[in-house]
Amino acid sequence: MCSHGHHPNIITFSILLDGLCKEGDLDKALTIFKVMENSQLKPNCVVYNILIDGLCKVGRLNDAKKLFYKLFEKGLQPNVYTYSTIIIGLCKKGLLDEAHQVFREMEGGCLPNDCCYNVIIQGFLRHKDVPRASQLINEMVDKGFSVDATTIELIINLSLNDDLILRKLQI
Ligand SMILES: *[C@@H]1O[C@H](CO)[C@@H](O)[C@H](O)[C@H]1NC(C)=O
């Protein structure tokens, strides 16, 4: 592109990074991210989201967390998608306390939507943390949100081994 006099913009970079992340080539994606940081073309929220998602999907949670906290340092505001992504990554690694903390921090600027509620509830259900799942289900329902199909499936799956699950969930 450059040799033909075209200069890549933030959208071309995002497409490139998305492709690299989908191929699992996170090292190359991070190298390009660094190049962007040192150029005029500063990474925006979309770029961060692509990389955080890619890093979580390959299990590189520490790198994903570093980028997540860097967003704040750079004065960028993560959106609900960024939060859901990092919460899914944390839950997958069993870091439920940290996931819960990140979820609670959302109340200071980017309110959780129904998707955020569902992903964190699913994390708690997958790790059989019924009290916290119960609390969040009731909280989301109070806010007018609904549990999604995956959350219901997880509750059904739990109920196959535990007749009292619905009573424990208090729903
Ligand atoms: C529920 O259990 C079935 C059978 O073990 C499994 O295939 C399915 O993936 C489980 N659902 C979820 C959402 O984990």
Side-chain angles (χ1 to χ4, degrees), residues 109-122:
C110 168
L111 287 178
N113 62 7
D114 54 347
C115 174
C116 291
Y117 269 100
N118 276 292
V119 296
I120 190 154
I121 290 165
Q122 287 160 22

Side-chain angles (χ1 to χ4, degrees), residues 70-141:
K70 195 174 210 170
L71 260 171
F72 295 94
E73 282 166 29
K74 299 283 177 195
L76 295 167
Q77 170 67 47
N79 58 24
V80 282
Y81 178 77
T82 333
Y83 276 103
S84 297
T85 305
I86 199 84
I87 288 170
I88 292 171
L90 289 164
C91 288
K92 245 193 211 160
K93 293 266 178 186
L95 300 169
L96 300 182
D97 289 337
E98 202 172 344
H100 202 192
Q101 193 187 329
V102 168
F103 181 81
R104 287 303 178 207
E105 280 163 12
M106 292 184 75
E107 275 142 17
C110 168
L111 287 178
N113 62 7
D114 54 347
C115 174
C116 291
Y117 269 100
N118 276 292
V119 296
I120 190 154
I121 290 165
Q122 287 160 22
F124 286 141
L125 290 172
R126 285 201 170 94
H127 291 88
K128 304 195 168 51
D129 186 335
V130 176
R132 282 197 286 191
S134 162
Q135 190 210 337
L136 286 171
I137 289 172
N138 286 302
E139 190 180 304
M140 86 179 285
V141 171

